[in-house]
Amino acid sequence: MAEIELKTAPADFRFPTTNQTRHCFTRYVEFHRCLAAKGDGSAECERFAKYYRSLCPGEWVEKWNEQRENGTFPGPL
């Protein structure tokens, strides 16, 4: 049986506190900016996807995805 290796986003000096809300949001935005710049399926963008998926609650991601689709996302994409 293959071992599963679990990883999370590396420490980021911009987010020194234990509350990772801002870190989560920033990684989500970085992922979508990367997709916009490099196109869907870019391997370079996958690291940002892994980061935000490990930091952000699924409910937030679903809400942000809906907001992006509706053009009401509050962040800078």
Side-chain angles (χ1 to χ4, degrees):
M1 183 177 189
E3 275 192 45
I4 297 173
E5 184 178 352
L6 300 176
K7 291 184 179 181
T8 189
D12 190 323
F13 70 91
R14 297 175 293 179
F15 310 103
T17 64
T18 56
N19 184 341
Q20 294 295 304
T21 303
R22 191 167 160 208
H23 190 181
C24 153
F25 183 77
T26 300
R27 294 299 189 174
Y28 180 84
V29 169
E30 287 175 337
F31 171 68
H32 288 285
R33 281 184 175 171
C34 183
L35 286 183
K38 307 212 185 258
D40 286 340
S42 171
E44 294 177 45
C45 300
E46 278 307 304
R47 68 184 175 124
F48 294 118
K50 288 179 186 176
Y51 296 165
Y52 90 75
R53 288 178 186 140
S54 71
L55 292 166
C56 302
E59 296 84 13
W60 293 5
V61 173
E62 289 173 17
K63 182 176 180 179
W64 293 338
N65 287 339
E66 280 180 28
Q67 290 174 334
R68 280 187 318 100
E69 290 170 9
N70 297 331
T72 59
F73 183 72
L77 295 176

